[in-house]
Amino acid sequence: MVKRIDMEVEQGGTNEVRPDFFREPPVKYTGGDLPWQWEEDGLVATRTGAWAAPGCHDGCGVIVYTDKETGRFVKVEGDEESPYYQGRLCARCIALKEAVYHPDRVLHPMKRDPRDRGKADKWERISWDEAYALIKEKFDTIKAESGAKAVVFHLGTGRGTAPYMTRLQYAFGSVQYAYMLSGNSCYVPRVGASNVLMGTYTVPDCSQNHHDRYDHEGWVPPKNIFIWGNNPLVSNADGNLGHWIVDCMKRGSKLVVVDPKLTWLAARADLWLQIRCGTDAALALAMGKYIVEEDLYDHEFVEGWCYGFEEYYEATREWTLERASEVTWIPAEKIACAARMMAEKPTAVQWGLALDMTMECLAGSAAVIDLWSITGQIDIPGGMVTVHQPFNIQTWNPPDPAECLTLEEQKQRIGGEDFPALKYSGVVLTQADMTVDQMLSNRPYKIRANWIQSTNPLSCTAQEPNTRMEQAYLNAEFNVMVDPFMTPTAQACCDVFLPVCLYPERNGIRSIYYHVQTTNKACEALGESKSDMEICWELGRQWNADMWPGETLEEFFTFTMKETGMTFEEARAENWIYPEYHYEKFRTGEQRPDGKLGFNTPTGRIELYSTLFGQWGQRPVPHFAEPPYSPNQVPARFDKGEYLAKYPLIMTTGARQWASFHSEHRQIPHLRALHPNPEFEIAPATAEAYGVRHGDWCWIENHLGRVQMKANVSPVLDPSTISLDHAWWFPERDPEDDGAGCYDTYLSNPNVIVEAGCGESGFGNNCKSHMCRVYKCEPEEIVGDTDMDYIVERFAMNEELV
């Protein structure tokens, strides 16, 4: 069902290879033997990519079915022909119909007076022309008076919006691209560390690079897979799908799971390392020491392709198995076993946010990168394969600001001149904590307006949202929200609301590390909603039309994918496009833009000793830093004994749930029924000690405040540790602030009790290791279980709309 096309891509001119992207071989594999649209049983079937809204960043291959006569959405199914996704879908995708026809979708642009922020009945419907004119007038006035730097553009995760929103802000003239999570501590630190040490990013080789997947003659399954600090079956993080791990297990791969929680994968692992939260770097350093001293490292790879091996080994020497065991709470023999398994070939590592959510996350990520480097796992079948955007398509990463802004404008990025690692590691974000500080303090200048797209910081990402983030937004004179649903952030803080359509209602391009696929419009957008891309394109052309070539959005898509040699329509007819994949590109010159052998680093090698970190005043080799709040230490402003006596439990948060993508999907009936209330997991012995029974509503409290959640008594955690759901809000509750935030978003949001702040690099936050106490709510304090009548009512209203 897959055909091969040979095509010579013209080099030079507009197709000249940019220095931050790798050259692509001209051979491509496509699904052009399959239709992208057809009729089936009175329905029109449209093959497409499920890249949100709503939902995550995976863009699963799906078939959307619409009624032939009315064009209305009917259902969605997994596309079994898709090589990358192979027909698998999660509950969130299956429940798409409930999102499309949800009665609470915002379907028309709206505005209200900034003096009426927080008042739900003050929104008034306006036209798109009026909305664009109002935004342009406000932003242009601010630019004339204070410079474009006084407008910050905020983005979340999941919708493929980054290259469009950043192009919009560059067209306006602002460099302020913000993600409101302390220390930018989601994915970005791992990418930054990888770029610095390796000049690229790597992911586990689960055959996803090949159109023929597990039958590819050059691929072998990993002998061992480390699941480090994430649960990929639920999170499917960073374009790496959890079911691939199970597929590899069926083909003989063994698992090593590094996680404080006994997940489904941990229960089936050959080795489970139940780590103390926040101590991953110590584990990695001890494993590295063991690998070197037991002579398990890859001598050829280290000698030929690594820089600073002696300095790296010196950094590990203090990390004996005994010391690491004391710090991490993992038995020494298990650490040694994990080190031996890491050294076996091929071994892959699926890592996650646990590495990002420590204060010195770059050092922790470096310690793990060094493990797969010294064991020679890079770019081998079944190992850690290097990645890049196919054909330089800008559908994931933002365009290079150097192409759009002057050097002086680039220097205005908040935190960019304060944290060299942020400036030079390939990350174009502002520093999140400094951004909030400046929004609050008006120093060195006032942030006067915010564009907020596909993000809900008050409920999801921002630490101390009730005391910092909300006031930071309210301090601005003009805020715009772009989203499909009203959210606490929009209701509390915004003055204009632009409604976003859902993915069956739009066209687009889906390009992840390994392949290209178009998102194809299957039905008309409800109301006057528009896609994220269309909104940015229409408004952006008013500021700088030259940055948005083409007379239609589809022509602009063609521009962004020009290196494929195809138009958007031609790519859609091919369904998916796979460049031919080569292993060990560092040996052939394909890993560097200049065609030289090695890696795209200052030394041309993987830098176990980072020359760049050294230049930036950071430690050039990995190290471990004890979390600022832990059983071993607390900040000096507290009396350690008193603090730990009052708050004896380790608190972690941020784990994904099946029924939601962060703060999304809370109003979708079937998904909310799967997980109706915010919960925290607590070990049976701990629950008994505190008089808590399964299902009790409890307070989780520390020095910052307290949040209310329902106890899930389960033996999956160490008695020292509890795990809290994140990103909760309640669409069925009061949209106005009743003391717990709009829609009660502060009542059960654990970020209320997570301290803001970053590490010395500007990256990282202590999200997954805080201290707390637990006690039962008094009866009069309990807000109560989710009203299931609300769910039933919303589903009935949904059916009526359908």
Side-chain angles (χ1 to χ4, degrees):
M1 302 299 290
V2 178
K3 69 177 181 179
R4 172 172 174 152
I5 297 177
D6 293 291
M7 181 189 70
E8 293 298 329
V9 178
E10 178 185 357
Q11 296 299 314
T14 58
N15 286 331
E16 184 176 354
V17 178
R18 285 170 44 181
D20 57 340
F21 285 88
F22 308 133
R23 292 164 299 151
E24 199 65 63
V27 179
K28 299 184 298 185
Y29 297 87
T30 80
D33 289 345
L34 296 167
W36 72 270
Q37 195 171 62
W38 65 96
E39 291 187 18
E40 182 179 317
D41 299 328
L43 302 176
V44 176
T46 303
R47 193 185 310 275
T48 185
W51 211 357
C56 69
H57 22 36
D58 289 319
C60 294
V62 298
I63 300 172
V64 172
Y65 291 88
T66 53
D67 184 89
K68 181 180 177 181
E69 299 300 324
T70 65
R72 294 178 68 83
F73 179 93
V74 175
K75 64 178 179 177
V76 63
E77 294 182 353
D79 184 0
E80 295 182 4
E81 300 287 355
S82 169
Y84 193 81
Y85 302 98
Q86 300 177 311
R88 270 81 160 219
L89 293 182
C90 73
R92 299 188 299 271
C93 211
I94 294 170
L96 176 63
K97 186 175 183 178
E98 296 177 29
V100 171
Y101 295 113
H102 199 286
D104 293 345
R105 267 187 72 179
V106 180
L107 297 178
H108 309 281
M110 300 188 300
K111 72 173 183 178
R112 67 181 172 192
D113 192 294
R115 292 171 295 185
D116 293 324
R117 289 172 181 170
K119 297 179 181 179
D121 62 350
K122 294 298 183 179
W123 290 105
E124 61 176 277
R125 177 176 171 178
I126 57 175
S127 68
W128 276 102
D129 287 344
E130 185 178 357
Y132 287 152
L134 176 59
I135 294 166
K136 190 171 185 301
E137 177 189 2
K138 292 284 190 181
F139 280 25
D140 286 350
T141 299
I142 292 170
K143 182 177 180 178
E145 295 174 352
S146 305
K149 65 183 184 297
V151 179
V152 176
F153 289 73
H154 304 252
L155 192 68
T157 182
R159 294 221 286 260
T161 313
Y164 301 93
M165 193 201 77
T166 49
R167 189 175 288 269
L168 169 69
Q169 72 177 73
Y170 296 160
F172 171 68
S174 173
V175 74
Q176 314 295 17
Y177 172 36
Y179 177 56
M180 291 291 96
L181 172 63
S182 274
N184 307 91
S185 50
C186 171
Y187 182 60
V188 173
R190 280 171 289 147
V191 172
S194 298
N195 286 343
V196 170
L197 272 60
M198 306 173 63
T200 185
Y201 192 63
T202 56
V203 295
D205 183 15
C206 298
S207 78
Q208 66 271 27
N209 296 336
H210 313 297
H211 71 277
D212 47 358
R213 294 303 301 264
Y214 306 116
D215 295 328
H216 187 77
E217 62 180 4
W219 179 78
V220 297
K223 185 171 185 179
N224 304 308
I225 302 176
F226 278 68
I227 307 297
W228 199 315
N230 72 130
N231 184 8
L233 293 186
V234 180
S235 65
N236 299 285
D238 313 332
N240 301 304
L241 303 184
H243 67 260
W244 297 346
I245 304 298
V246 179
D247 291 344
C248 289
M249 291 167 65
K250 293 177 179 178
R251 289 162 174 80
S253 297
K254 296 182 178 180
L255 290 191
V256 179
V257 175
V258 183
D259 200 306
K261 184 187 297 185
L262 184 66
T263 62
W264 188 92
L265 288 174
R268 287 153 181 82
D270 296 85
L271 183 63
W272 175 37
L273 306 181
Q274 190 176 25
I275 192 169
R276 174 167 70 90
C277 298
T279 62
D280 303 83
L283 171 62
L285 287 163
M287 289 171 60
K289 171 183 169 67
Y290 186 92
I291 288 168
V292 173
E293 293 182 348
E294 295 297 314
D295 199 27
L296 300 175
Y297 67 96
D298 185 324
H299 286 255
E300 185 274 333
F301 190 84
V302 167
E303 293 167 8
W305 305 105
C306 293
Y307 175 83
F309 178 71
E310 293 298 328
E311 291 87 347
Y312 164 73
Y313 171 56
E314 188 63 30
T316 70
R317 289 185 65 180
E318 64 178 298
W319 287 99
T320 63
L321 295 179
E322 293 72 24
R323 185 185 177 202
S325 179
E326 180 181 349
V327 169
T328 65
W329 300 354
I330 300 170
E333 60 272 17
K334 286 192 172 185
I335 299 175
C337 181
R340 291 191 294 269
M341 294 178 75
M342 177 66 74
E344 295 177 332
K345 285 189 176 180
T347 287
V349 180
Q350 173 58 53
W351 58 353
L353 263 66
L355 276 300
D356 298 329
M357 291 183 168
T358 61
M359 299 302 275
E360 300 310 324
C361 54
L362 294 188
S365 294
V368 176
I369 292 168
D370 291 345
L371 290 178
W372 66 61
S373 299
I374 65 172
T375 55
Q377 311 290 355
I378 296 177
D379 234 8
I380 63 172
M384 296 299 291
V385 288
T386 57
V387 300
H388 56 283
Q389 288 288 1
F391 305 104
N392 189 15
I393 295 178
Q394 293 178 11
T395 59
W396 186 268
N397 293 318
D400 186 348
E403 297 180 356
C404 311
L405 302 173
T406 66
L407 183 61
E408 188 59 35
E409 288 172 330
Q410 293 175 60
K411 288 182 178 180
Q412 295 170 350
R413 179 157 55 109
I414 298 171
E417 300 301 308
D418 300 88
F419 296 104
L422 184 72
K423 181 177 181 179
Y424 295 110
S425 61
V427 177
V428 297
L429 292 165
T430 67
Q431 204 289 319
D433 303 278
M434 290 187 66
T435 304
V436 177
D437 287 343
Q438 185 164 334
M439 292 167 70
L440 286 167
S441 69
N442 301 330
R443 294 192 298 268
Y445 54 86
K446 180 179 176 64
I447 300 301
R448 297 179 58 186
N450 297 281
W451 175 279
I452 310 167
Q453 187 162 8
S454 69
T455 186
N456 180 19
L458 298 194
S459 304
C460 186
T461 55
Q463 284 60 58
E464 302 180 60
N466 52 330
T467 57
R468 282 174 55 82
M469 192 71 252
E470 181 176 350
Q471 187 55 51
Y473 280 136
L474 292 178
N475 203 32
E477 61 197 65
F478 187 64
N479 295 321
V480 179
M481 173 61 73
V482 187
D483 205 84
F485 290 94
M486 186 61 65
T487 65
T489 304
Q491 190 62 266
C493 304
C494 292
D495 314 307
V496 171
F497 192 107
L498 304 181
V500 172
C501 68
L502 308 190
Y503 76 80
E505 303 168 331
R506 69 168 178 86
N507 286 327
I509 311 170
R510 165 63 176 171
S511 170
I512 189 63
Y513 305 130
Y514 331 100
H515 79 297
V516 179
Q517 180 177 0
T518 58
T519 298
N520 304 316
K521 184 176 180 178
C523 54
E524 291 301 317
L526 290 192
E528 295 178 333
S529 60
K530 298 175 182 280
S531 73
D532 287 289
M533 299 77 188
E534 187 176 9
I535 292 169
C536 293
W537 183 76
E538 289 181 342
L539 185 57
R541 285 167 61 86
Q542 296 187 39
W543 276 315
N544 187 341
D546 291 340
M547 289 183 60
W548 305 86
E551 294 304 314
T552 67
L553 187 57
E554 285 69 29
E555 288 182 7
F556 178 70
F557 292 154
T558 296
F559 164 76
T560 65
M561 60 189 298
K562 60 183 180 295
E563 292 188 14
T564 67
M566 294 183 179
T567 65
F568 171 78
E569 290 77 11
E570 289 169 339
R572 177 166 58 189
E574 300 295 352
N575 290 307
W576 45 79
I577 307 167
Y578 274 78
E580 184 177 75
Y581 188 82
H582 300 157
Y583 290 105
E584 295 194 307
K585 294 180 285 295
F586 59 89
R587 298 185 188 272
T588 61
E590 294 179 70
Q591 193 63 57
R592 292 174 58 104
D594 58 10
K596 295 181 180 179
L597 304 187
F599 294 86
N600 193 30
T601 63
T603 60
R605 303 183 178 204
I606 293 175
E607 297 197 348
L608 308 176
Y609 177 98
S610 172
T611 56
L612 292 177
F613 283 161
Q615 292 175 25
W616 300 338
Q618 296 178 230
R619 294 172 63 173
V621 289
H623 63 278
F624 167 71
E626 181 72 26
Y629 292 92
S630 79
N632 298 328
Q633 73 172 21
V634 298
R637 67 180 184 275
F638 299 108
D639 179 277
K640 179 181 176 182
E642 290 181 1
Y643 190 93
L644 293 178
K646 186 174 183 179
Y647 305 120
L649 297 176
I650 299 173
M651 178 190 80
T652 186
T653 184
R656 298 267 189 89
Q657 299 292 333
W658 297 104
S660 60
F661 179 68
H662 299 305
S663 68
E664 287 192 271
H665 303 101
R666 300 296 183 196
Q667 63 276 92
I668 306 303
H670 274 93
L671 297 179
R672 185 65 180 278
L674 286 174
H675 199 88
N677 297 298
E679 297 179 355
F680 71 101
E681 292 173 302
I682 183 170
T686 311
E688 183 177 1
Y690 289 96
V692 172
R693 291 186 294 183
H694 186 81
D696 283 346
W697 283 97
C698 298
W699 291 111
I700 300 94
E701 181 184 281
N702 65 13
H703 66 282
L704 292 170
R706 63 182 187 175
V707 293
Q708 188 178 112
M709 290 188 171
K710 202 170 185 179
N712 179 2
V713 179
S714 173
V716 299
L717 288 166
D718 184 272
S720 67
T721 305
I722 64 171
S723 177
L724 281 62
D725 286 353
H726 80 298
W728 267 93
W729 62 290
F730 303 88
E732 70 274 20
R733 296 186 185 167
D734 189 351
E736 299 189 4
D737 190 342
D738 61 354
C742 293
Y743 303 103
D744 278 355
T745 193
Y746 301 142
L747 180 68
S748 302
N749 179 356
N751 278 340
V752 167
I753 53 174
V754 174
E755 195 166 87
C758 66
E760 63 179 17
S761 66
F763 289 109
N765 179 265
N766 200 40
C767 298
K768 291 188 177 291
S769 178
H770 256 275
M771 305 303 292
C772 69
R773 66 171 176 155
V774 171
Y775 55 96
K776 290 174 61 175
C777 297
E778 296 296 329
E780 65 274 11
E781 297 173 326
I782 299 173
V783 174
D785 290 354
T786 290
D787 184 358
M788 295 304 291
D789 289 340
Y790 160 80
I791 295 174
V792 174
E793 174 189 329
R794 282 299 185 270
F795 185 72
M797 294 173 67
N798 181 295
E799 288 297 294
E800 288 179 11
L801 286 172
V802 173

